[in-house]
Amino acid sequence: MVRTWTLGIFLVSVALLQFGYPLTLHGSLWTAVYMLLYTGMIVFGIMLVREESLRTVPIFVVAVVFLIFGLWVAVDQESEAAHLGMFISVAVFQSCLMVSLLRFIFRRSQAHGPDLILAAVCVYLLLGGLFAATFGAVEIVWPGSFEDSAAPEEPVTWQQLMYFSYVTMATLGYGDVLPLPPWVRSLAVVETVSGTLFLTTVIARLVGAYIAPADAAGAGGDRGDVESPHPGR
């Protein structure tokens, strides 16, 4: 069973990574520090997968590959091959973590509300990171797929795409970073719909997790209050 402390530390590490990306704008040293923060997410992510009885060896291999590309990016921030490898490997790794957490969230025998809340927030943050990595890979393979309206002549960086991903998933729609090709716009729509559907379904799951035990307790109490037709027996 997934432990609360594992989920809590994993959530903190994911939040630091998904929202701490501006560190990478201050040079190679800070980029290396940022990439090393991924070790926390990897360690506790593998623990989550292990506790869900999924195979950890393939996920560990993907994590190692991601760390290699991440350090490569820290050393050579201009390498498109390093960025592409990093985006693909981190997308695969985060997908595996999301599958493990979704199994935990929607498993019928699971009824621990606080754990479900932590797991749901983790999945939501990972979903934004997954699409950010996907957008980054798309921009490398098809340059010019995204445009910054404030600097239309400049290439869009992965940091901007991280920002764009969460803005899109939250349906804020600031309009500063724009997807241009039709299929890329469609991918952005998929992220918006996925984030919205996840929130609605997980809210229903959380409500069920909290209400079901209360209903069961209430039903038990009602049965105990029924007066026996044969009090002497």
Side-chain angles (χ1 to χ4, degrees):
M1 181 181 296
V2 176
R3 296 179 177 88
T4 302
W5 69 269
T6 307
L7 280 167
I9 297 177
F10 178 74
L11 174 58
V12 171
S13 64
V14 172
L16 287 175
L17 287 166
Q18 307 300 56
F19 305 132
Y21 64 88
L23 279 176
T24 61
L25 300 173
H26 299 288
S28 298
L29 178 60
W30 285 108
T31 301
V33 171
Y34 175 81
M35 293 302 172
L36 287 175
L37 289 175
Y38 270 101
T39 56
M41 186 185 78
I42 289 172
V43 169
F44 289 97
I46 291 177
M47 289 177 64
L48 291 174
V49 172
R50 183 179 179 182
E51 290 172 1
E52 281 299 293
S53 300
L54 297 178
R55 294 182 178 180
T56 57
V57 174
I59 298 175
F60 179 78
V61 172
V62 173
V64 171
V65 172
F66 163 66
L67 282 179
I68 292 173
F69 279 110
L71 292 175
W72 184 4
V73 168
V75 174
D76 184 6
Q77 298 189 45
E78 302 300 323
S79 173
E80 290 188 350
H83 279 89
L84 183 60
M86 182 184 71
F87 292 143
I88 294 175
S89 56
V90 74
V92 173
F93 182 71
Q94 291 186 102
S95 297
C96 294
L97 295 180
M98 287 173 60
V99 170
S100 176
L101 289 168
L102 287 171
R103 281 166 54 98
F104 171 74
I105 292 171
F106 293 103
R107 190 170 54 193
R108 293 184 179 180
S109 61
Q110 183 56 249
H112 298 291
D115 291 349
L116 291 178
I117 293 173
L118 290 173
V121 176
C122 288
V123 172
Y124 191 74
L125 294 181
L126 288 171
L127 183 63
L130 171 63
F131 275 96
T134 304
F135 293 145
V138 168
E139 178 63 22
I140 290 176
V141 176
W142 292 287
S145 295
F146 295 88
E147 178 183 274
D148 184 351
S149 59
E153 302 300 325
E154 298 293 329
V156 176
T157 64
W158 71 267
Q159 292 93 339
Q160 290 172 290
L161 294 175
M162 179 76 81
Y163 156 81
F164 169 76
S165 176
Y166 284 99
V167 168
T168 299
M169 189 168 65
T171 66
L172 294 175
Y174 289 137
D176 45 357
V177 180
L178 303 171
L180 300 181
W183 285 108
V184 180
R185 291 181 177 180
S186 180
L187 184 61
V189 172
V190 169
E191 179 179 17
T192 302
V193 174
S194 299
T196 303
L197 289 178
F198 173 74
L199 289 178
T200 55
T201 54
V202 81
I203 287 173
R205 176 68 182 95
L206 291 172
V207 170
Y210 277 104
I211 291 180
D215 288 346
D222 291 342
R223 287 194 297 270
D225 293 339
V226 175
E227 184 177 355
S228 172
H230 303 288
R233 294 185 181 181

